[in-house]
PDB file of all heavy atoms in Angstrom:
ATOM      1  N   ARG A   1      -3.783  -3.878  13.780  1.00 96.00           N
ATOM      2  CA  ARG A   1      -4.785  -2.918  13.296  1.00 96.00           C
ATOM      3  C   ARG A   1      -4.211  -1.527  12.998  1.00 96.00           C
ATOM      4  O   ARG A   1      -4.797  -0.499  13.436  1.00 96.00           O
ATOM      5  CB  ARG A   1      -5.978  -2.854  14.306  1.00 96.00           C
ATOM      6  CG  ARG A   1      -6.691  -4.163  14.473  1.00 96.00           C
ATOM      7  CD  ARG A   1      -7.981  -4.058  15.352  1.00 96.00           C
ATOM      8  NE  ARG A   1      -8.908  -3.150  14.747  1.00 96.00           N
ATOM      9  CZ  ARG A   1      -9.721  -3.416  13.687  1.00 96.00           C
ATOM     10  NH1 ARG A   1      -9.608  -4.604  13.085  1.00 96.00           N
ATOM     11  NH2 ARG A   1     -10.579  -2.560  13.282  1.00 96.00           N
ATOM     12  N   CYS A   2      -3.166  -1.540  12.236  1.00 97.00           N
ATOM     13  CA  CYS A   2      -2.573  -0.211  11.862  1.00 97.00           C
ATOM     14  C   CYS A   2      -3.182   0.254  10.574  1.00 97.00           C
ATOM     15  O   CYS A   2      -3.831  -0.499   9.828  1.00 97.00           O
ATOM     16  CB  CYS A   2      -1.061  -0.383  11.710  1.00 97.00           C
ATOM     17  SG  CYS A   2      -0.546  -1.215  10.178  1.00 97.00           S
ATOM     18  N   VAL A   3      -2.987   1.521  10.272  1.00 97.00           N
ATOM     19  CA  VAL A   3      -3.271   2.125   8.964  1.00 97.00           C
ATOM     20  C   VAL A   3      -1.904   2.289   8.297  1.00 97.00           C
ATOM     21  O   VAL A   3      -1.083   3.018   8.777  1.00 97.00           O
ATOM     22  CB  VAL A   3      -4.030   3.461   9.086  1.00 97.00           C
ATOM     23  CG1 VAL A   3      -4.168   4.099   7.735  1.00 97.00           C
ATOM     24  CG2 VAL A   3      -5.401   3.228   9.726  1.00 97.00           C
ATOM     25  N   LEU A   4      -1.700   1.582   7.164  1.00 98.00           N
ATOM     26  CA  LEU A   4      -0.418   1.625   6.466  1.00 98.00           C
ATOM     27  C   LEU A   4      -0.552   2.543   5.294  1.00 98.00           C
ATOM     28  O   LEU A   4      -1.351   2.377   4.399  1.00 98.00           O
ATOM     29  CB  LEU A   4      -0.025   0.228   5.984  1.00 98.00           C
ATOM     30  CG  LEU A   4       1.364   0.062   5.414  1.00 98.00           C
ATOM     31  CD1 LEU A   4       2.397   0.260   6.553  1.00 98.00           C
ATOM     32  CD2 LEU A   4       1.586  -1.335   4.821  1.00 98.00           C
ATOM     33  N   ILE A   5       0.271   3.599   5.288  1.00 98.00           N
ATOM     34  CA  ILE A   5       0.286   4.640   4.260  1.00 98.00           C
ATOM     35  C   ILE A   5       1.565   4.507   3.480  1.00 98.00           C
ATOM     36  O   ILE A   5       2.653   4.666   3.981  1.00 98.00           O
ATOM     37  CB  ILE A   5       0.195   6.020   4.915  1.00 98.00           C
ATOM     38  CG1 ILE A   5      -0.938   6.136   5.900  1.00 98.00           C
ATOM     39  CG2 ILE A   5       0.182   7.146   3.859  1.00 98.00           C
ATOM     40  CD1 ILE A   5      -0.714   7.088   7.057  1.00 98.00           C
ATOM     41  N   GLU A   6       1.464   4.201   2.175  1.00 97.00           N
ATOM     42  CA  GLU A   6       2.685   4.038   1.362  1.00 97.00           C
ATOM     43  C   GLU A   6       2.918   5.269   0.495  1.00 97.00           C
ATOM     44  O   GLU A   6       2.094   5.604  -0.347  1.00 97.00           O
ATOM     45  CB  GLU A   6       2.581   2.810   0.467  1.00 97.00           C
ATOM     46  CG  GLU A   6       3.891   2.543  -0.296  1.00 97.00           C
ATOM     47  CD  GLU A   6       3.911   1.279  -1.061  1.00 97.00           C
ATOM     48  OE1 GLU A   6       2.905   0.565  -1.165  1.00 97.00           O
ATOM     49  OE2 GLU A   6       4.997   0.934  -1.609  1.00 97.00           O
ATOM     50  N   TYR A   7       4.044   5.891   0.694  1.00 97.00           N
ATOM     51  CA  TYR A   7       4.496   7.025  -0.133  1.00 97.00           C
ATOM     52  C   TYR A   7       5.088   6.554  -1.443  1.00 97.00           C
ATOM     53  O   TYR A   7       5.949   5.645  -1.429  1.00 97.00           O
ATOM     54  CB  TYR A   7       5.561   7.860   0.583  1.00 97.00           C
ATOM     55  CG  TYR A   7       5.089   8.813   1.645  1.00 97.00           C
ATOM     56  CD1 TYR A   7       3.725   8.901   2.029  1.00 97.00           C
ATOM     57  CD2 TYR A   7       5.948   9.600   2.347  1.00 97.00           C
ATOM     58  CE1 TYR A   7       3.265   9.759   3.020  1.00 97.00           C
ATOM     59  CE2 TYR A   7       5.557  10.500   3.355  1.00 97.00           C
ATOM     60  CZ  TYR A   7       4.199  10.590   3.661  1.00 97.00           C
ATOM     61  OH  TYR A   7       3.816  11.474   4.652  1.00 97.00           O
ATOM     62  N   GLY A   8       4.640   7.143  -2.555  1.00 94.00           N
ATOM     63  CA  GLY A   8       5.220   6.707  -3.877  1.00 94.00           C
ATOM     64  C   GLY A   8       5.001   5.226  -4.115  1.00 94.00           C
ATOM     65  O   GLY A   8       5.920   4.508  -4.496  1.00 94.00           O
ATOM     66  N   SER A   9       3.755   4.812  -4.037  1.00 93.00           N
ATOM     67  CA  SER A   9       3.443   3.348  -4.056  1.00 93.00           C
ATOM     68  C   SER A   9       3.789   2.682  -5.393  1.00 93.00           C
ATOM     69  O   SER A   9       4.069   1.505  -5.433  1.00 93.00           O
ATOM     70  CB  SER A   9       1.958   3.130  -3.689  1.00 93.00           C
ATOM     71  OG  SER A   9       1.131   3.896  -4.550  1.00 93.00           O
ATOM     72  N   GLY A  10       3.687   3.436  -6.495  1.00 86.00           N
ATOM     73  CA  GLY A  10       4.018   2.855  -7.821  1.00 86.00           C
ATOM     74  C   GLY A  10       3.226   1.576  -8.078  1.00 86.00           C
ATOM     75  O   GLY A  10       1.992   1.539  -7.974  1.00 86.00           O
ATOM     76  N   SER A  11       3.942   0.461  -8.406  1.00 85.00           N
ATOM     77  CA  SER A  11       3.287  -0.812  -8.695  1.00 85.00           C
ATOM     78  C   SER A  11       2.991  -1.576  -7.428  1.00 85.00           C
ATOM     79  O   SER A  11       2.485  -2.687  -7.519  1.00 85.00           O
ATOM     80  CB  SER A  11       4.151  -1.619  -9.679  1.00 85.00           C
ATOM     81  OG  SER A  11       5.419  -1.898  -9.080  1.00 85.00           O
ATOM     82  N   SER A  12       3.317  -1.054  -6.253  1.00 89.00           N
ATOM     83  CA  SER A  12       3.020  -1.701  -4.980  1.00 89.00           C
ATOM     84  C   SER A  12       3.597  -3.125  -4.913  1.00 89.00           C
ATOM     85  O   SER A  12       2.938  -4.044  -4.348  1.00 89.00           O
ATOM     86  CB  SER A  12       1.504  -1.716  -4.712  1.00 89.00           C
ATOM     87  OG  SER A  12       0.980  -0.420  -4.601  1.00 89.00           O
ATOM     88  N   ARG A  13       4.799  -3.303  -5.390  1.00 90.00           N
ATOM     89  CA  ARG A  13       5.354  -4.657  -5.491  1.00 90.00           C
ATOM     90  C   ARG A  13       5.949  -5.109  -4.158  1.00 90.00           C
ATOM     91  O   ARG A  13       6.077  -6.361  -3.959  1.00 90.00           O
ATOM     92  CB  ARG A  13       6.406  -4.714  -6.611  1.00 90.00           C
ATOM     93  CG  ARG A  13       7.625  -3.883  -6.360  1.00 90.00           C
ATOM     94  CD  ARG A  13       8.523  -3.828  -7.588  1.00 90.00           C
ATOM     95  NE  ARG A  13       9.035  -5.151  -8.015  1.00 90.00           N
ATOM     96  CZ  ARG A  13       9.891  -5.314  -9.001  1.00 90.00           C
ATOM     97  NH1 ARG A  13      10.312  -4.276  -9.717  1.00 90.00           N
ATOM     98  NH2 ARG A  13      10.293  -6.516  -9.311  1.00 90.00           N
ATOM     99  N   LYS A  14       6.247  -4.178  -3.263  1.00 96.00           N
ATOM    100  CA  LYS A  14       6.832  -4.605  -1.965  1.00 96.00           C
ATOM    101  C   LYS A  14       5.864  -4.722  -0.829  1.00 96.00           C
ATOM    102  O   LYS A  14       6.026  -5.515   0.100  1.00 96.00           O
ATOM    103  CB  LYS A  14       7.957  -3.630  -1.573  1.00 96.00           C
ATOM    104  CG  LYS A  14       9.109  -3.562  -2.535  1.00 96.00           C
ATOM    105  CD  LYS A  14      10.044  -2.429  -2.283  1.00 96.00           C
ATOM    106  CE  LYS A  14      11.100  -2.292  -3.370  1.00 96.00           C
ATOM    107  NZ  LYS A  14      11.902  -1.056  -3.270  1.00 96.00           N
ATOM    108  N   VAL A  15       4.798  -3.939  -0.880  1.00 96.00           N
ATOM    109  CA  VAL A  15       3.858  -3.856   0.217  1.00 96.00           C
ATOM    110  C   VAL A  15       3.170  -5.177   0.528  1.00 96.00           C
ATOM    111  O   VAL A  15       2.842  -5.452   1.709  1.00 96.00           O
ATOM    112  CB  VAL A  15       2.883  -2.705   0.080  1.00 96.00           C
ATOM    113  CG1 VAL A  15       1.763  -3.074  -0.937  1.00 96.00           C
ATOM    114  CG2 VAL A  15       2.262  -2.287   1.393  1.00 96.00           C
ATOM    115  N   PRO A  16       2.886  -6.095  -0.451  1.00 96.00           N
ATOM    116  CA  PRO A  16       2.288  -7.342  -0.067  1.00 96.00           C
ATOM    117  C   PRO A  16       3.109  -8.132   0.928  1.00 96.00           C
ATOM    118  O   PRO A  16       2.532  -8.860   1.799  1.00 96.00           O
ATOM    119  CB  PRO A  16       2.175  -8.094  -1.417  1.00 96.00           C
ATOM    120  CG  PRO A  16       2.085  -7.040  -2.460  1.00 96.00           C
ATOM    121  CD  PRO A  16       3.009  -5.941  -1.930  1.00 96.00           C
ATOM    122  N   LEU A  17       4.431  -8.051   0.881  1.00 96.00           N
ATOM    123  CA  LEU A  17       5.262  -8.753   1.878  1.00 96.00           C
ATOM    124  C   LEU A  17       4.949  -8.269   3.284  1.00 96.00           C
ATOM    125  O   LEU A  17       4.993  -9.062   4.254  1.00 96.00           O
ATOM    126  CB  LEU A  17       6.741  -8.510   1.545  1.00 96.00           C
ATOM    127  CG  LEU A  17       7.222  -9.025   0.201  1.00 96.00           C
ATOM    128  CD1 LEU A  17       8.646  -8.481  -0.087  1.00 96.00           C
ATOM    129  CD2 LEU A  17       7.251 -10.537   0.175  1.00 96.00           C
ATOM    130  N   LEU A  18       4.655  -6.996   3.398  1.00 96.00           N
ATOM    131  CA  LEU A  18       4.365  -6.398   4.719  1.00 96.00           C
ATOM    132  C   LEU A  18       2.937  -6.673   5.125  1.00 96.00           C
ATOM    133  O   LEU A  18       2.663  -7.077   6.270  1.00 96.00           O
ATOM    134  CB  LEU A  18       4.620  -4.902   4.633  1.00 96.00           C
ATOM    135  CG  LEU A  18       4.685  -4.129   5.941  1.00 96.00           C
ATOM    136  CD1 LEU A  18       5.664  -4.766   6.951  1.00 96.00           C
ATOM    137  CD2 LEU A  18       5.095  -2.653   5.656  1.00 96.00           C
ATOM    138  N   LEU A  19       1.979  -6.547   4.168  1.00 96.00           N
ATOM    139  CA  LEU A  19       0.612  -6.758   4.477  1.00 96.00           C
ATOM    140  C   LEU A  19       0.344  -8.233   4.976  1.00 96.00           C
ATOM    141  O   LEU A  19      -0.492  -8.407   5.860  1.00 96.00           O
ATOM    142  CB  LEU A  19      -0.265  -6.434   3.274  1.00 96.00           C
ATOM    143  CG  LEU A  19      -0.419  -4.975   2.927  1.00 96.00           C
ATOM    144  CD1 LEU A  19      -1.191  -4.767   1.618  1.00 96.00           C
ATOM    145  CD2 LEU A  19      -1.121  -4.209   4.017  1.00 96.00           C
ATOM    146  N   ARG A  20       1.031  -9.154   4.356  1.00 95.00           N
ATOM    147  CA  ARG A  20       0.816 -10.554   4.754  1.00 95.00           C
ATOM    148  C   ARG A  20       1.346 -10.825   6.170  1.00 95.00           C
ATOM    149  O   ARG A  20       0.825 -11.687   6.876  1.00 95.00           O
ATOM    150  CB  ARG A  20       1.508 -11.484   3.781  1.00 95.00           C
ATOM    151  CG  ARG A  20       0.814 -11.631   2.436  1.00 95.00           C
ATOM    152  CD  ARG A  20       1.365 -12.849   1.705  1.00 95.00           C
ATOM    153  NE  ARG A  20       2.721 -12.663   1.215  1.00 95.00           N
ATOM    154  CZ  ARG A  20       3.084 -12.148   0.057  1.00 95.00           C
ATOM    155  NH1 ARG A  20       2.159 -11.716  -0.789  1.00 95.00           N
ATOM    156  NH2 ARG A  20       4.318 -12.021  -0.292  1.00 95.00           N
ATOM    157  N   ALA A  21       2.300 -10.036   6.626  1.00 97.00           N
ATOM    158  CA  ALA A  21       2.863 -10.229   7.967  1.00 97.00           C
ATOM    159  C   ALA A  21       2.112  -9.449   9.045  1.00 97.00           C
ATOM    160  O   ALA A  21       2.103  -9.881  10.211  1.00 97.00           O
ATOM    161  CB  ALA A  21       4.326  -9.829   8.010  1.00 97.00           C
ATOM    162  N   LEU A  22       1.497  -8.306   8.724  1.00 97.00           N
ATOM    163  CA  LEU A  22       0.841  -7.504   9.675  1.00 97.00           C
ATOM    164  C   LEU A  22      -0.422  -8.214  10.263  1.00 97.00           C
ATOM    165  O   LEU A  22      -1.115  -8.975   9.559  1.00 97.00           O
ATOM    166  CB  LEU A  22       0.387  -6.185   9.046  1.00 97.00           C
ATOM    167  CG  LEU A  22       1.534  -5.201   8.718  1.00 97.00           C
ATOM    168  CD1 LEU A  22       0.960  -4.013   7.934  1.00 97.00           C
ATOM    169  CD2 LEU A  22       2.238  -4.710   9.980  1.00 97.00           C
ATOM    170  N   ARG A  23      -0.710  -7.923  11.510  1.00 96.00           N
ATOM    171  CA  ARG A  23      -1.870  -8.547  12.176  1.00 96.00           C
ATOM    172  C   ARG A  23      -3.067  -7.624  11.999  1.00 96.00           C
ATOM    173  O   ARG A  23      -3.098  -6.535  12.521  1.00 96.00           O
ATOM    174  CB  ARG A  23      -1.553  -8.804  13.637  1.00 96.00           C
ATOM    175  CG  ARG A  23      -2.665  -9.547  14.386  1.00 96.00           C
ATOM    176  CD  ARG A  23      -2.096 -10.278  15.596  1.00 96.00           C
ATOM    177  NE  ARG A  23      -1.501  -9.393  16.559  1.00 96.00           N
ATOM    178  CZ  ARG A  23      -2.120  -8.824  17.562  1.00 96.00           C
ATOM    179  NH1 ARG A  23      -3.413  -9.065  17.772  1.00 96.00           N
ATOM    180  NH2 ARG A  23      -1.490  -8.035  18.431  1.00 96.00           N
ATOM    181  N   GLU A  24      -4.029  -8.076  11.246  1.00 94.00           N
ATOM    182  CA  GLU A  24      -5.315  -7.367  11.083  1.00 94.00           C
ATOM    183  C   GLU A  24      -5.163  -5.907  10.728  1.00 94.00           C
ATOM    184  O   GLU A  24      -5.704  -5.044  11.439  1.00 94.00           O
ATOM    185  CB  GLU A  24      -6.180  -7.548  12.326  1.00 94.00           C
ATOM    186  CG  GLU A  24      -6.562  -8.958  12.666  1.00 94.00           C
ATOM    187  CD  GLU A  24      -7.373  -9.075  13.933  1.00 94.00           C
ATOM    188  OE1 GLU A  24      -7.604  -8.028  14.597  1.00 94.00           O
ATOM    189  OE2 GLU A  24      -7.818 -10.190  14.270  1.00 94.00           O
ATOM    190  N   PRO A  25      -4.397  -5.628   9.684  1.00 95.00           N
ATOM    191  CA  PRO A  25      -4.283  -4.175   9.318  1.00 95.00           C
ATOM    192  C   PRO A  25      -5.670  -3.580   9.009  1.00 95.00           C
ATOM    193  O   PRO A  25      -6.528  -4.230   8.369  1.00 95.00           O
ATOM    194  CB  PRO A  25      -3.380  -4.243   8.075  1.00 95.00           C
ATOM    195  CG  PRO A  25      -3.569  -5.601   7.496  1.00 95.00           C
ATOM    196  CD  PRO A  25      -3.724  -6.494   8.711  1.00 95.00           C
ATOM    197  N   LEU A  26      -5.880  -2.369   9.448  1.00 95.00           N
ATOM    198  CA  LEU A  26      -7.188  -1.769   9.307  1.00 95.00           C
ATOM    199  C   LEU A  26      -7.414  -1.201   7.889  1.00 95.00           C
ATOM    200  O   LEU A  26      -8.445  -1.281   7.326  1.00 95.00           O
ATOM    201  CB  LEU A  26      -7.314  -0.625  10.366  1.00 95.00           C
ATOM    202  CG  LEU A  26      -8.653   0.085  10.487  1.00 95.00           C
ATOM    203  CD1 LEU A  26      -9.714  -0.929  10.917  1.00 95.00           C
ATOM    204  CD2 LEU A  26      -8.581   1.231  11.398  1.00 95.00           C
ATOM    205  N   ALA A  27      -6.333  -0.583   7.320  1.00 96.00           N
ATOM    206  CA  ALA A  27      -6.481   0.053   6.017  1.00 96.00           C
ATOM    207  C   ALA A  27      -5.090   0.221   5.384  1.00 96.00           C
ATOM    208  O   ALA A  27      -4.058   0.272   6.038  1.00 96.00           O
ATOM    209  CB  ALA A  27      -7.105   1.427   6.163  1.00 96.00           C
ATOM    210  N   TYR A  28      -5.091   0.242   4.049  1.00 97.00           N
ATOM    211  CA  TYR A  28      -3.901   0.528   3.283  1.00 97.00           C
ATOM    212  C   TYR A  28      -4.198   1.762   2.437  1.00 97.00           C
ATOM    213  O   TYR A  28      -5.190   1.846   1.739  1.00 97.00           O
ATOM    214  CB  TYR A  28      -3.575  -0.663   2.404  1.00 97.00           C
ATOM    215  CG  TYR A  28      -2.497  -0.427   1.342  1.00 97.00           C
ATOM    216  CD1 TYR A  28      -1.245   0.031   1.761  1.00 97.00           C
ATOM    217  CD2 TYR A  28      -2.747  -0.585   0.003  1.00 97.00           C
ATOM    218  CE1 TYR A  28      -0.239   0.279   0.783  1.00 97.00           C
ATOM    219  CE2 TYR A  28      -1.762  -0.415  -0.954  1.00 97.00           C
ATOM    220  CZ  TYR A  28      -0.517   0.070  -0.547  1.00 97.00           C
ATOM    221  OH  TYR A  28       0.472   0.287  -1.500  1.00 97.00           O
ATOM    222  N   VAL A  29      -3.309   2.771   2.533  1.00 97.00           N
ATOM    223  CA  VAL A  29      -3.479   4.036   1.764  1.00 97.00           C
ATOM    224  C   VAL A  29      -2.269   4.251   0.897  1.00 97.00           C
ATOM    225  O   VAL A  29      -1.239   4.835   1.279  1.00 97.00           O
ATOM    226  CB  VAL A  29      -3.618   5.235   2.768  1.00 97.00           C
ATOM    227  CG1 VAL A  29      -3.923   6.506   2.007  1.00 97.00           C
ATOM    228  CG2 VAL A  29      -4.714   4.929   3.796  1.00 97.00           C
ATOM    229  N   PRO A  30      -2.328   3.791  -0.370  1.00 96.00           N
ATOM    230  CA  PRO A  30      -1.261   4.069  -1.316  1.00 96.00           C
ATOM    231  C   PRO A  30      -1.326   5.469  -1.834  1.00 96.00           C
ATOM    232  O   PRO A  30      -2.452   5.919  -2.196  1.00 96.00           O
ATOM    233  CB  PRO A  30      -1.482   3.043  -2.401  1.00 96.00           C
ATOM    234  CG  PRO A  30      -2.955   2.776  -2.406  1.00 96.00           C
ATOM    235  CD  PRO A  30      -3.370   2.951  -0.984  1.00 96.00           C
ATOM    236  N   VAL A  31      -0.201   6.165  -1.850  1.00 96.00           N
ATOM    237  CA  VAL A  31      -0.161   7.577  -2.370  1.00 96.00           C
ATOM    238  C   VAL A  31       0.835   7.626  -3.517  1.00 96.00           C
ATOM    239  O   VAL A  31       2.002   7.283  -3.350  1.00 96.00           O
ATOM    240  CB  VAL A  31       0.267   8.534  -1.239  1.00 96.00           C
ATOM    241  CG1 VAL A  31       0.193   9.998  -1.756  1.00 96.00           C
ATOM    242  CG2 VAL A  31      -0.611   8.349  -0.022  1.00 96.00           C
ATOM    243  N   ASP A  32       0.354   8.080  -4.673  1.00 94.00           N
ATOM    244  CA  ASP A  32       1.252   8.175  -5.839  1.00 94.00           C
ATOM    245  C   ASP A  32       0.787   9.252  -6.757  1.00 94.00           C
ATOM    246  O   ASP A  32      -0.400   9.592  -6.797  1.00 94.00           O
ATOM    247  CB  ASP A  32       1.308   6.793  -6.587  1.00 94.00           C
ATOM    248  CG  ASP A  32       2.545   6.705  -7.450  1.00 94.00           C
ATOM    249  OD1 ASP A  32       3.594   6.219  -6.942  1.00 94.00           O
ATOM    250  OD2 ASP A  32       2.456   7.074  -8.630  1.00 94.00           O
ATOM    251  N   ILE A  33       1.737   9.837  -7.519  1.00 91.00           N
ATOM    252  CA  ILE A  33       1.442  10.976  -8.382  1.00 91.00           C
ATOM    253  C   ILE A  33       0.907  10.520  -9.752  1.00 91.00           C
ATOM    254  O   ILE A  33       0.316  11.288 -10.499  1.00 91.00           O
ATOM    255  CB  ILE A  33       2.668  11.819  -8.548  1.00 91.00           C
ATOM    256  CG1 ILE A  33       2.360  13.267  -8.957  1.00 91.00           C
ATOM    257  CG2 ILE A  33       3.728  11.207  -9.483  1.00 91.00           C
ATOM    258  CD1 ILE A  33       3.478  14.223  -8.838  1.00 91.00           C
ATOM    259  N   CYS A  34       1.120   9.230 -10.116  1.00 89.00           N
ATOM    260  CA  CYS A  34       0.677   8.702 -11.409  1.00 89.00           C
ATOM    261  C   CYS A  34      -0.630   8.025 -11.239  1.00 89.00           C
ATOM    262  O   CYS A  34      -0.741   6.891 -10.703  1.00 89.00           O
ATOM    263  CB  CYS A  34       1.738   7.704 -11.975  1.00 89.00           C
ATOM    264  SG  CYS A  34       1.266   7.052 -13.585  1.00 89.00           S
ATOM    265  N   ARG A  35      -1.714   8.632 -11.727  1.00 89.00           N
ATOM    266  CA  ARG A  35      -3.037   8.132 -11.548  1.00 89.00           C
ATOM    267  C   ARG A  35      -3.236   6.740 -12.137  1.00 89.00           C
ATOM    268  O   ARG A  35      -3.860   5.843 -11.475  1.00 89.00           O
ATOM    269  CB  ARG A  35      -4.081   9.101 -12.143  1.00 89.00           C
ATOM    270  CG  ARG A  35      -5.530   8.703 -11.968  1.00 89.00           C
ATOM    271  CD  ARG A  35      -6.492   9.533 -12.793  1.00 89.00           C
ATOM    272  NE  ARG A  35      -6.512  10.923 -12.357  1.00 89.00           N
ATOM    273  CZ  ARG A  35      -6.129  11.964 -13.071  1.00 89.00           C
ATOM    274  NH1 ARG A  35      -5.562  11.777 -14.260  1.00 89.00           N
ATOM    275  NH2 ARG A  35      -6.224  13.192 -12.584  1.00 89.00           N
ATOM    276  N   GLU A  36      -2.777   6.526 -13.348  1.00 88.00           N
ATOM    277  CA  GLU A  36      -3.051   5.216 -14.016  1.00 88.00           C
ATOM    278  C   GLU A  36      -2.392   4.088 -13.261  1.00 88.00           C
ATOM    279  O   GLU A  36      -3.013   3.049 -13.065  1.00 88.00           O
ATOM    280  CB  GLU A  36      -2.519   5.290 -15.441  1.00 88.00           C
ATOM    281  CG  GLU A  36      -3.241   6.294 -16.329  1.00 88.00           C
ATOM    282  CD  GLU A  36      -2.764   7.721 -16.202  1.00 88.00           C
ATOM    283  OE1 GLU A  36      -1.848   7.937 -15.409  1.00 88.00           O
ATOM    284  OE2 GLU A  36      -3.369   8.593 -16.854  1.00 88.00           O
ATOM    285  N   TYR A  37      -1.146   4.286 -12.860  1.00 87.00           N
ATOM    286  CA  TYR A  37      -0.452   3.200 -12.144  1.00 87.00           C
ATOM    287  C   TYR A  37      -1.096   2.975 -10.779  1.00 87.00           C
ATOM    288  O   TYR A  37      -1.238   1.838 -10.324  1.00 87.00           O
ATOM    289  CB  TYR A  37       1.007   3.603 -11.980  1.00 87.00           C
ATOM    290  CG  TYR A  37       1.991   2.614 -12.504  1.00 87.00           C
ATOM    291  CD1 TYR A  37       1.847   2.079 -13.785  1.00 87.00           C
ATOM    292  CD2 TYR A  37       3.065   2.161 -11.725  1.00 87.00           C
ATOM    293  CE1 TYR A  37       2.743   1.164 -14.270  1.00 87.00           C
ATOM    294  CE2 TYR A  37       3.977   1.247 -12.239  1.00 87.00           C
ATOM    295  CZ  TYR A  37       3.793   0.710 -13.533  1.00 87.00           C
ATOM    296  OH  TYR A  37       4.682  -0.129 -13.979  1.00 87.00           O
ATOM    297  N   LEU A  38      -1.519   4.059 -10.127  1.00 93.00           N
ATOM    298  CA  LEU A  38      -2.113   3.951  -8.788  1.00 93.00           C
ATOM    299  C   LEU A  38      -3.380   3.151  -8.851  1.00 93.00           C
ATOM    300  O   LEU A  38      -3.635   2.290  -8.025  1.00 93.00           O
ATOM    301  CB  LEU A  38      -2.337   5.366  -8.239  1.00 93.00           C
ATOM    302  CG  LEU A  38      -3.068   5.456  -6.915  1.00 93.00           C
ATOM    303  CD1 LEU A  38      -2.241   4.842  -5.756  1.00 93.00           C
ATOM    304  CD2 LEU A  38      -3.410   6.878  -6.611  1.00 93.00           C
ATOM    305  N   LEU A  39      -4.250   3.450  -9.792  1.00 92.00           N
ATOM    306  CA  LEU A  39      -5.539   2.766  -9.934  1.00 92.00           C
ATOM    307  C   LEU A  39      -5.331   1.297 -10.135  1.00 92.00           C
ATOM    308  O   LEU A  39      -6.000   0.453  -9.520  1.00 92.00           O
ATOM    309  CB  LEU A  39      -6.351   3.382 -11.051  1.00 92.00           C
ATOM    310  CG  LEU A  39      -6.988   4.771 -10.744  1.00 92.00           C
ATOM    311  CD1 LEU A  39      -7.562   5.366 -12.045  1.00 92.00           C
ATOM    312  CD2 LEU A  39      -8.063   4.649  -9.681  1.00 92.00           C
ATOM    313  N   ALA A  40      -4.391   0.937 -11.020  1.00 92.00           N
ATOM    314  CA  ALA A  40      -4.150  -0.475 -11.348  1.00 92.00           C
ATOM    315  C   ALA A  40      -3.595  -1.225 -10.156  1.00 92.00           C
ATOM    316  O   ALA A  40      -4.069  -2.336  -9.790  1.00 92.00           O
ATOM    317  CB  ALA A  40      -3.252  -0.581 -12.523  1.00 92.00           C
TER     318      ALA A  40
END
C-alpha cells in the first residue's frame, strides 16, 4: 500500500514492471514536464 511517485515518467515504460510486483499499491503519481506525453 505504497504511494509510488515517478520523476520524469515520460512514456512510463518501466513502471508497469514495478506496479505488477507491488502489493496493493495505493496510488501512482507520474510527474513529467511534457503535458501531452504525461496525459497519454
Side-chain angles (χ1 to χ4, degrees):
R1 297 187 61 75
C2 75
V3 174
L4 190 67
I5 307 151
E6 184 174 8
Y7 281 2
S9 54
S11 59
S12 298
R13 66 189 299 184
K14 296 169 186 171
V15 77
L17 298 169
L18 193 52
L19 288 173
R20 285 195 292 269
L22 290 172
R23 185 156 60 92
E24 299 178 356
L26 186 64
Y28 170 57
V29 184
V31 184
D32 201 88
I33 202 167
C34 180
R35 183 189 292 113
E36 295 80 3
Y37 235 49
L38 175 66
L39 287 170

